[in-house]
Amino acid sequence: MRNIIFVLASLLTSYLATAQPPAGGNRPGAGRPNMTGNLYGKLVEAKSSKPIEYASVQLLQNRMDTVTKKRKDVVVGGMLTKANGEFMLENIPVFGQFKLVVTVVGFKPYEQTVSFDVKPGGGEGAMAALDKDLGNIKIDIEEKLLDNVTVTASKPGLQLGIDRKVFNVDKNLVSAGGTAVDIMKNVPSLSVDLDGNVTMRNNSPQIFVDGRPTTLSLDQIPADAIESVEIITNPSAKYDASGGTSGILNVVLKKAKRVGYSGSIRTNIDSRGRVGFGGDINVRQDKINFFANANYNQRKSISTGTTDRSSLIGSPNTFLQQSDRSVMTGNFMFFRAGFDYFLDNRNTITLTGNIGRGRFKPFSESDILIDSLYPVITSSFSERLSNSSNQFNNGGAMLSFKHNFPKPGEEFTADINYNKSKNDNENLITTNYYKLPENSLSGNFKQQQLGNGGNENITMQADYSKPISDKSKFEIGVRTQIRKVNNRNDFYSYATGSPVYDPLLSVNYNSTDNIYAAYSTFSNQLKNFGYQLGLRVESSNYQGRLPDKNQVFDIKFPVSLFPSVFLSQKITESQDLQLNYSRRINRPNFFQLYPYTDYSDTLNISRGNPNLTPEFTNSIELSYQKTFKNRDNLIASVYYKNTNDLITRFQEKETDPNGKDVFVNTYINARSSYITGLELVSRNKMTKWWDMTTNLNLFTSKINTGIAGQPDQDQFASWFGKLNNTFKLPKNFSIQLSGEYQSKTVLPPSSGGGGRGGGGGGFGGGGGMFGQSTSAQGFVRANYYVDAGARFEFLKNKQASLSLNVNDIFRTRRQNIHSESPFFVQDVFRRRDPQILRLNFNWRFGKFDANLFKRKNNKNQGGDGSENMNMGQ
């Protein structure tokens, strides 16, 4: 309540300062030119020198009241300090003395006499732009004891900005105890398939963690370690141009900055007897802010599926029926820690590090019946058993520096980010052959695959922001990314009873790719119209190596320019309109360029294509935002994306080393593609106890392969709907009910989200044994599901909670894909982990000093997500 009073007081004083001109003709400086200047400074705590935010700063001047003929203090300027403690009072008369008055909850009142000390005759040109830095003003804390407190202020589940959406995880009951994949299922604009691959508007986004590229995959990040998820559908030139036809998905991990200490301890168990543990803590005292998060989770995943495929190559044609069941058990751990060190009032160093590891044992069983379509049909049956052991290890660190200049908004940041991952895989495949099911064994074949890989990623970046005026800003930055990937696969056959190394199937492949970039943006506000112009330049090169064969693949991508234009118009106080354009690139990744042919599964042969070239996408988006009186929010967006040289999966006919016609799953550059659609996102408070978020995306897309003899896809309209309901019930109970429907849809151009890279490995997969489908030749049939969660909060200040969530309540979530070409017709059906229940317990603790009461309503804790997003950053 006191914060609200301060905000209202500040607004009132600002209004009085602008509405009331300097009174009286006897004021100091009367008769002199009407010159003004600016007073600025920074409020800090006297003992710790920590910045004080949301303090009320007023500038008073003693003047003669022309009505009462008495002198009184008149407000000539005022504001609330920013999060870094800074304030700036503009358009202040340069002549005369003033009194600076500071009031803030938890601190002693402060007053100081200030003036510009301008001497008459010093030159009007010089005085017209006077600025005076009052330096760091030290405020003493009001001596009083505070009891233990628990932070109960919460963020809205979804914060909508016109250029991005921020999804706050603490409001999402159905993902508690899961991974980042479970969170993405409830985020507007995102769709998640059975293997955890995320698409944004039917394309794979670029995945960031804390604003930087990562080697982590989403299934390696615990949901309980995530603070929020940012969706940027059309990034400006400030952001990495990679990502092609989609935008950026930024996962923000938990880190608090409250003075004192806070944290939580949690545990969970699911209906398959798998448990999880975790906790986090944050301590801030003096110049150090320390944070840590640890999670351990066990998992058991069960998937089933069928594949029906008619092969129209060779003689005779064949019809395959395959039934599969896979069980994967294992565990993964994630630990993250770091600290902020406040060197002084305007300089901060941050160091963070994270470690992740996982151990999994998948087992799959496939029954395969093949009918050879001779005039008299003949059949063969095989049973394939696959026992695997997989493990991954991830590690990373980031060192960053931030300097805030005295002028508000001017800052310099620099950071270096290092990530490294390693995985080891062992797979033993045994195939038993029969004439027909339940016949006697006629033979078998055993094969072993040993694989390992690694991924090393270094990113260095520096950014500088310079406000030219209170309405305009100039930004520049540079960035370098160096990524090294290695992958080795060794195959052994058991034809003689003991393993024999097969050099023809084995491969050792390494690669290095470097990206160099620089950008500049300029933004300006002209009354209710704003614009941002940006230009990014990037150069990159790629080198692939086959050491065992002394082969090297050198690819140098030319220097490319990526302009962006953001235009915004404030129609009314509650309505905004934005038009933006950007150009982006999607370079082929490690696995897409990998020239190795994988024959380990004779029914699903795969190979990369080292001749791939980057794809370029031009995107344009028109968005309208309406905020209603009850704080309901609606965003409507019309978008169009055109891509040249689209990288997409493709299945083609080849002859294997034995002279047999086979299908090879590979990648090609399709000639072009486009996607256009209308997206609606709405956040509504239906009643005091019911909040609802809805998302509707109506779109159509088309891929032109440009391959002779290969017909282009049929074009059709698709739609995607998502509904999320939160009900606050009496007695501290709350319920969340969410659902999604996806109509018949063209396959996304690339399966697998960004961030996985080479050698990452994760707790997902299992897709290879069910047969791969190709984007340029297929579609996904309609699919829908419903998830639910309930939570009960108890103890003093709701410090503890119990929650229960269940996914796919009606067992309707599946993957049903159809693909075809002149050589085959294939249908794949899959289902994975339906109706899993998970029980979660969470206990929060904390103790803070007086700053807590100033921070509960700061813009990062309770804003609508659009304060600084008007021009798309």
Side-chain angles (χ1 to χ4, degrees), residues 98 391 674 708:
F98 304 90
Q391 63 181 32
Y674 75 85

Side-chain angles (χ1 to χ4, degrees), residues 73 85 512 627 806 860:
D73 288 336
T512 302
T627 302
V806 56
N860 293 323

Side-chain angles (χ1 to χ4, degrees), residues 635-651:
I635 292 182
S637 301
V638 178
Y639 58 90
Y640 174 81
K641 298 175 183 286
N642 176 261
T643 301
N644 295 315
D645 297 323
L646 176 77
I647 299 173
T648 182
R649 274 187 170 179
F650 193 76
Q651 199 169 64

Side-chain angles (χ1 to χ4, degrees), residues 239-267:
Y239 296 97
D240 187 2
S242 300
T245 55
S246 194
I248 292 175
L249 172 59
N250 184 33
V251 178
V252 181
L253 301 180
K254 289 181 178 178
K255 183 180 78 170
K257 287 188 177 181
R258 302 182 183 93
V259 177
Y261 68 87
S262 63
S264 67
I265 298 173
R266 52 190 171 269
T267 184

